[in-house]
Amino acid sequence: NAGVTQTPKFRVLKTGQSMTLLCAQDMNHEYMYWYRQDPGMGLRLIHYSVGEGTTAKGEVPDGYNVSRLKKQNFLLGLESAAPSQTSVYFCASSTDRGYQPQHFGDGTRLSIL
Amino acid sequence: EDQVTQSPEALRLQEGESSSLNCSYTVSGLRGLFWYRQDPGKGPEFLFTLYSAGEEKEKERLKATLTKKESFLHITAPKPEDSATYLCAVQAHYGGSQGNLIFGKGTKLSVKP
């Protein structure tokens, strides 16, 4: 079972460039999440989705957009990348937004020069 | 404000030397407390969920406990393969972060043979 798959695994961008990170899950989970992880800080929620066609803001949404056109996919977009967005991005999914754990992918390491 | 504090930041143990990791939290009504393990270059891997004070869960050499203010992850007779960063996260019933996971910064555990 693949679980949660993130692509790409690594990427280097120049300031001002745009890109999209893809997350795919094969567990038929309704809920999906995007986090960023920075040194010395805990994982922080960027955006999340409670089902196909829905999105909502998390703790640190500025500079990011998301879309959930299909239940199994959750896309994270950076329209104009900034050095402050250099981070490791993790996608997660869960069966509900309450008592069940979230299952994480292995991350995308993004550097903005 | 919902908050999670993990201590110590780093812990070095000899193989077989038991110890505990601490997760202190303040939250607007605890829905659940989650423990994850994260290996370098990988995403967090789910270990345990605890829902109410007094609850305990075990898995191999790991045992998680919960009080109204903190959780402990006890590691009995650790092995080098237990080396990882252990993350604690809480989920609140109420407030602005309701339903979201709030992560601590983690404890990096190193077990030497």
PDB file of all heavy atoms in Angstrom, chain A residues 52-70:
ATOM      1  N   GLU A  52     -13.881  16.405  -1.096  1.00  0.00           N
ATOM      2  CA  GLU A  52     -13.683  16.849  -2.478  1.00  0.00           C
ATOM      3  C   GLU A  52     -14.370  18.182  -2.723  1.00  0.00           C
ATOM      4  O   GLU A  52     -15.525  18.369  -2.341  1.00  0.00           O
ATOM      5  CB  GLU A  52     -14.243  15.779  -3.412  1.00  0.00           C
ATOM      6  CG  GLU A  52     -14.057  16.056  -4.878  1.00  0.00           C
ATOM      7  CD  GLU A  52     -14.603  14.908  -5.734  1.00  0.00           C
ATOM      8  OE1 GLU A  52     -14.364  13.735  -5.378  1.00  0.00           O
ATOM      9  OE2 GLU A  52     -15.286  15.195  -6.739  1.00  0.00           O
ATOM     10  N   GLY A  53     -13.621  19.106  -3.316  1.00  0.00           N
ATOM     11  CA  GLY A  53     -14.173  20.407  -3.655  1.00  0.00           C
ATOM     12  C   GLY A  53     -14.159  21.430  -2.538  1.00  0.00           C
ATOM     13  O   GLY A  53     -14.600  22.562  -2.729  1.00  0.00           O
ATOM     14  N   THR A  54     -13.643  21.049  -1.354  1.00  0.00           N
ATOM     15  CA  THR A  54     -13.605  21.977  -0.215  1.00  0.00           C
ATOM     16  C   THR A  54     -12.181  22.249   0.208  1.00  0.00           C
ATOM     17  O   THR A  54     -11.297  21.395   0.092  1.00  0.00           O
ATOM     18  CB  THR A  54     -14.353  21.410   0.998  1.00  0.00           C
ATOM     19  OG1 THR A  54     -13.567  20.375   1.597  1.00  0.00           O
ATOM     20  CG2 THR A  54     -15.706  20.858   0.613  1.00  0.00           C
ATOM     21  N   THR A  55     -11.931  23.473   0.697  1.00  0.00           N
ATOM     22  CA  THR A  55     -10.644  23.817   1.288  1.00  0.00           C
ATOM     23  C   THR A  55     -10.879  24.800   2.423  1.00  0.00           C
ATOM     24  O   THR A  55     -11.906  25.503   2.439  1.00  0.00           O
ATOM     25  CB  THR A  55      -9.662  24.427   0.277  1.00  0.00           C
ATOM     26  OG1 THR A  55     -10.207  25.657  -0.212  1.00  0.00           O
ATOM     27  CG2 THR A  55      -9.384  23.480  -0.875  1.00  0.00           C
ATOM     28  N   ALA A  56      -9.932  24.867   3.354  1.00  0.00           N
ATOM     29  CA  ALA A  56     -10.045  25.800   4.474  1.00  0.00           C
ATOM     30  C   ALA A  56      -8.645  26.202   4.919  1.00  0.00           C
ATOM     31  O   ALA A  56      -7.671  25.463   4.704  1.00  0.00           O
ATOM     32  CB  ALA A  56     -10.809  25.165   5.624  1.00  0.00           C
ATOM     33  N   LYS A  57      -8.536  27.390   5.528  1.00  0.00           N
ATOM     34  CA  LYS A  57      -7.252  27.907   5.976  1.00  0.00           C
ATOM     35  C   LYS A  57      -6.851  27.300   7.307  1.00  0.00           C
ATOM     36  O   LYS A  57      -7.675  27.095   8.187  1.00  0.00           O
ATOM     37  CB  LYS A  57      -7.312  29.432   6.099  1.00  0.00           C
ATOM     38  CG  LYS A  57      -7.507  30.147   4.779  1.00  0.00           C
ATOM     39  CD  LYS A  57      -7.554  31.653   4.989  1.00  0.00           C
ATOM     40  CE  LYS A  57      -7.744  32.374   3.656  1.00  0.00           C
ATOM     41  NZ  LYS A  57      -7.804  33.851   3.835  1.00  0.00           N
ATOM     42  N   GLY A  58      -5.548  27.067   7.425  1.00  0.00           N
ATOM     43  CA  GLY A  58      -4.996  26.620   8.687  1.00  0.00           C
ATOM     44  C   GLY A  58      -4.317  27.754   9.421  1.00  0.00           C
ATOM     45  O   GLY A  58      -4.747  28.907   9.337  1.00  0.00           O
ATOM     46  N   GLU A  59      -3.226  27.420  10.088  1.00  0.00           N
ATOM     47  CA  GLU A  59      -2.527  28.390  10.923  1.00  0.00           C
ATOM     48  C   GLU A  59      -1.690  29.386  10.116  1.00  0.00           C
ATOM     49  O   GLU A  59      -1.589  30.553  10.468  1.00  0.00           O
ATOM     50  CB  GLU A  59      -1.620  27.625  11.903  1.00  0.00           C
ATOM     51  CG  GLU A  59      -0.794  28.498  12.844  1.00  0.00           C
ATOM     52  CD  GLU A  59       0.180  27.670  13.673  1.00  0.00           C
ATOM     53  OE1 GLU A  59       0.176  26.419  13.561  1.00  0.00           O
ATOM     54  OE2 GLU A  59       0.964  28.277  14.419  1.00  0.00           O
ATOM     55  N   VAL A  60      -1.067  28.925   9.023  1.00  0.00           N
ATOM     56  CA  VAL A  60      -0.146  29.760   8.239  1.00  0.00           C
ATOM     57  C   VAL A  60      -0.477  29.705   6.748  1.00  0.00           C
ATOM     58  O   VAL A  60       0.311  29.232   5.936  1.00  0.00           O
ATOM     59  CB  VAL A  60       1.325  29.355   8.499  1.00  0.00           C
ATOM     60  CG1 VAL A  60       1.772  29.773   9.881  1.00  0.00           C
ATOM     61  CG2 VAL A  60       1.524  27.855   8.294  1.00  0.00           C
ATOM     62  N   PRO A  61      -1.629  30.247   6.310  1.00  0.00           N
ATOM     63  CA  PRO A  61      -2.071  30.076   4.925  1.00  0.00           C
ATOM     64  C   PRO A  61      -1.516  31.090   3.916  1.00  0.00           C
ATOM     65  O   PRO A  61      -1.605  30.856   2.698  1.00  0.00           O
ATOM     66  CB  PRO A  61      -3.582  30.266   5.050  1.00  0.00           C
ATOM     67  CG  PRO A  61      -3.724  31.243   6.182  1.00  0.00           C
ATOM     68  CD  PRO A  61      -2.623  30.890   7.159  1.00  0.00           C
ATOM     69  N   ASP A  62      -0.945  32.209   4.413  1.00  0.00           N
ATOM     70  CA  ASP A  62      -0.564  33.288   3.499  1.00  0.00           C
ATOM     71  C   ASP A  62       0.532  32.851   2.535  1.00  0.00           C
ATOM     72  O   ASP A  62       1.542  32.282   2.927  1.00  0.00           O
ATOM     73  CB  ASP A  62      -0.108  34.517   4.301  1.00  0.00           C
ATOM     74  CG  ASP A  62      -1.242  35.125   5.102  1.00  0.00           C
ATOM     75  OD1 ASP A  62      -2.416  34.831   4.775  1.00  0.00           O
ATOM     76  OD2 ASP A  62      -0.970  35.882   6.042  1.00  0.00           O
ATOM     77  N   GLY A  63       0.328  33.181   1.248  1.00  0.00           N
ATOM     78  CA  GLY A  63       1.306  32.853   0.222  1.00  0.00           C
ATOM     79  C   GLY A  63       1.070  31.503  -0.438  1.00  0.00           C
ATOM     80  O   GLY A  63       1.828  31.133  -1.340  1.00  0.00           O
ATOM     81  N   TYR A  64       0.049  30.784   0.005  1.00  0.00           N
ATOM     82  CA  TYR A  64      -0.249  29.457  -0.522  1.00  0.00           C
ATOM     83  C   TYR A  64      -1.698  29.379  -0.998  1.00  0.00           C
ATOM     84  O   TYR A  64      -2.578  30.023  -0.432  1.00  0.00           O
ATOM     85  CB  TYR A  64      -0.042  28.376   0.531  1.00  0.00           C
ATOM     86  CG  TYR A  64       1.315  28.349   1.177  1.00  0.00           C
ATOM     87  CD1 TYR A  64       1.538  29.012   2.380  1.00  0.00           C
ATOM     88  CD2 TYR A  64       2.371  27.652   0.594  1.00  0.00           C
ATOM     89  CE1 TYR A  64       2.778  28.995   2.987  1.00  0.00           C
ATOM     90  CE2 TYR A  64       3.616  27.633   1.199  1.00  0.00           C
ATOM     91  CZ  TYR A  64       3.802  28.308   2.399  1.00  0.00           C
ATOM     92  OH  TYR A  64       5.035  28.280   3.001  1.00  0.00           O
ATOM     93  N   ASN A  65      -1.926  28.559  -2.021  1.00  0.00           N
ATOM     94  CA  ASN A  65      -3.291  28.228  -2.401  1.00  0.00           C
ATOM     95  C   ASN A  65      -3.391  26.716  -2.559  1.00  0.00           C
ATOM     96  O   ASN A  65      -2.382  26.026  -2.766  1.00  0.00           O
ATOM     97  CB  ASN A  65      -3.706  28.941  -3.694  1.00  0.00           C
ATOM     98  CG  ASN A  65      -2.760  28.641  -4.847  1.00  0.00           C
ATOM     99  OD1 ASN A  65      -2.804  27.564  -5.414  1.00  0.00           O
ATOM    100  ND2 ASN A  65      -1.900  29.590  -5.179  1.00  0.00           N
ATOM    101  N   VAL A  66      -4.593  26.198  -2.429  1.00  0.00           N
ATOM    102  CA  VAL A  66      -4.805  24.752  -2.497  1.00  0.00           C
ATOM    103  C   VAL A  66      -6.038  24.450  -3.341  1.00  0.00           C
ATOM    104  O   VAL A  66      -6.914  25.298  -3.526  1.00  0.00           O
ATOM    105  CB  VAL A  66      -4.986  24.116  -1.097  1.00  0.00           C
ATOM    106  CG1 VAL A  66      -3.675  24.074  -0.332  1.00  0.00           C
ATOM    107  CG2 VAL A  66      -6.068  24.834  -0.308  1.00  0.00           C
ATOM    108  N   SER A  67      -6.070  23.215  -3.841  1.00  0.00           N
ATOM    109  CA  SER A  67      -7.263  22.749  -4.551  1.00  0.00           C
ATOM    110  C   SER A  67      -7.439  21.256  -4.316  1.00  0.00           C
ATOM    111  O   SER A  67      -6.456  20.511  -4.189  1.00  0.00           O
ATOM    112  CB  SER A  67      -7.163  23.046  -6.044  1.00  0.00           C
ATOM    113  OG  SER A  67      -6.088  22.340  -6.622  1.00  0.00           O
ATOM    114  N   ARG A  68      -8.706  20.832  -4.267  1.00  0.00           N
ATOM    115  CA  ARG A  68      -9.044  19.418  -4.064  1.00  0.00           C
ATOM    116  C   ARG A  68     -10.140  19.066  -5.068  1.00  0.00           C
ATOM    117  O   ARG A  68     -11.307  18.949  -4.728  1.00  0.00           O
ATOM    118  CB  ARG A  68      -9.528  19.177  -2.640  1.00  0.00           C
ATOM    119  CG  ARG A  68      -9.817  17.684  -2.365  1.00  0.00           C
ATOM    120  CD  ARG A  68      -8.926  17.180  -1.297  1.00  0.00           C
ATOM    121  NE  ARG A  68      -9.193  15.760  -1.047  1.00  0.00           N
ATOM    122  CZ  ARG A  68      -9.822  15.334   0.041  1.00  0.00           C
ATOM    123  NH1 ARG A  68     -10.256  16.190   0.956  1.00  0.00           N
ATOM    124  NH2 ARG A  68     -10.016  14.036   0.219  1.00  0.00           N
ATOM    125  N   LEU A  69      -9.709  18.887  -6.303  1.00  0.00           N
ATOM    126  CA  LEU A  69     -10.655  18.595  -7.385  1.00  0.00           C
ATOM    127  C   LEU A  69     -11.077  17.132  -7.362  1.00  0.00           C
ATOM    128  O   LEU A  69     -12.189  16.794  -7.779  1.00  0.00           O
ATOM    129  CB  LEU A  69     -10.040  18.954  -8.735  1.00  0.00           C
ATOM    130  CG  LEU A  69      -9.678  20.427  -8.912  1.00  0.00           C
ATOM    131  CD1 LEU A  69      -9.070  20.667 -10.287  1.00  0.00           C
ATOM    132  CD2 LEU A  69     -10.895  21.321  -8.702  1.00  0.00           C
ATOM    133  N   LYS A  70     -10.211  16.251  -6.901  1.00  0.00           N
ATOM    134  CA  LYS A  70     -10.514  14.842  -6.769  1.00  0.00           C
ATOM    135  C   LYS A  70     -10.289  14.424  -5.317  1.00  0.00           C
ATOM    136  O   LYS A  70      -9.404  14.947  -4.644  1.00  0.00           O
ATOM    137  CB  LYS A  70      -9.647  13.990  -7.689  1.00  0.00           C
ATOM    138  CG  LYS A  70      -9.900  14.194  -9.165  1.00  0.00           C
ATOM    139  CD  LYS A  70      -9.029  13.249  -9.986  1.00  0.00           C
ATOM    140  CE  LYS A  70      -9.291  13.408 -11.474  1.00  0.00           C
ATOM    141  NZ  LYS A  70      -8.455  12.470 -12.283  1.00  0.00           N
TER     142      LYS A  70
END
